[in-house]
Amino acid sequence: MAASCDNRHVSSTRQGSSGANASGGSAAGQRRADVVQLAGELFAQKGFRATTVREIADAAGILSGSLYHHFDSKESIGDEILSSFINDVLADYRAAVASAGSPSDVLEQIVRSTSRTLSRHRAALAMLQNDWSYFSTQPRFGYLRKALNEIERTWVTQLERGQASGVFRADLDPKLTYRLLRDVLWIPSQWRVAGRYTTDQVAEGLLQLLFHGITS
């Protein structure tokens, strides 16, 4: 629905030449992307529910009414931010599974690729952390719970594969292990220590803990 609103806006400002059309479409697309980025920053700082459409429009330097040329509601903006995040994360997980590597190899690929993906989606992570009680009850955002279930199944399956092959300890609780590791993987993306640790360093640290522990 958000895309159709944007297309109507482009059509209403269409010029006579094809060059003007392309330029207008590009400008509208950039404006839309700017709105998404600014809204994401506000959602991360203030919370999704506490942020108003007027505040988003003010941050973008446009009138509130103009915002509706691009999105039909605040929920549509949140939907774009969260669905983009979830699609990228699921792509990482599915690619890792499709590689058909050993359980250790699949989990290592998930940690490394997902760490980079999470670093690009800090606003979405903050939104889920701060407003999960809202998103989890809205049918529009039902895909979030489905995605998290797929993510959990992926981890649990690989951990169980590793147990069955003798690579991982038999006394591990796969679901508990997944939940602990998920938080260790996702939380560093919210750390405000820019410049101290790179994304790859954080991923490497997690992999060292996962496969080697801290004992000598």
Side-chain angles (χ1 to χ4, degrees):
M1 185 172 293
S4 64
C5 291
D6 188 51
N7 290 339
R8 287 197 297 271
H9 176 54
V10 173
S11 297
S12 68
T13 58
R14 186 172 296 166
Q15 303 298 319
S17 68
S18 59
N21 290 342
S23 177
S26 177
Q30 184 59 53
R31 169 58 71 184
R32 193 173 190 276
D34 291 342
V35 168
V36 171
Q37 179 180 349
L38 292 167
E41 292 171 0
L42 286 172
F43 294 154
Q45 293 167 8
K46 298 190 60 177
F48 180 81
R49 286 171 291 185
T51 302
T52 66
V53 170
R54 180 180 293 276
E55 288 172 328
I56 298 171
D58 287 346
I62 59 178
L63 298 174
S64 296
S66 298
L67 192 64
Y68 292 105
H69 287 305
H70 303 285
F71 296 95
D72 61 2
S73 66
K74 182 177 72 171
E75 283 70 24
S76 290
I77 304 176
D79 192 18
E80 178 148 331
I81 295 169
L82 293 174
S83 63
S84 175
F85 163 62
I86 286 298
N87 287 339
D88 284 354
V89 171
L90 289 180
D92 291 333
Y93 276 71
R94 290 166 181 168
V97 172
S99 70
S102 69
S104 297
D105 290 340
V106 172
L107 293 180
E108 179 174 350
Q109 186 174 332
I110 285 174
V111 169
R112 292 190 185 282
S113 60
T114 304
S115 292
R116 300 187 188 102
T117 297
L118 295 178
S119 70
R120 301 195 305 270
H121 290 279
R122 290 187 175 91
L125 279 169
M127 290 166 64
L128 290 179
Q129 181 178 23
N130 297 334
D131 288 289
W132 175 248
S133 61
Y134 170 78
F135 293 121
S136 64
T137 62
Q138 302 300 307
R140 176 172 193 153
F141 297 98
Y143 60 85
L144 294 173
R145 192 175 293 279
K146 291 180 181 179
L148 293 177
N149 287 339
E150 180 178 342
I151 289 169
E152 178 174 351
R153 286 197 306 273
T154 301
W155 271 92
V156 170
T157 297
Q158 298 307 316
L159 291 168
E160 290 176 342
R161 282 183 63 212
Q163 287 180 308
S165 64
V167 175
F168 299 151
R169 286 169 40 184
D171 63 344
L172 285 180
D173 181 325
K175 287 191 175 182
L176 176 60
T177 302
Y178 153 70
R179 293 187 179 187
L180 293 170
L181 293 173
R182 175 199 62 191
D183 287 349
V184 175
L185 175 60
W186 289 38
I187 289 175
S189 296
Q190 297 295 346
W191 291 349
R192 298 185 180 279
V193 289
R196 184 171 182 183
Y197 297 108
T198 66
T199 299
D200 289 340
Q201 285 175 323
V202 172
E204 187 63 36
L206 173 56
L207 290 168
Q208 287 292 328
L209 286 174
L210 175 59
F211 295 130
H212 304 293
I214 62 174
T215 56
S216 61

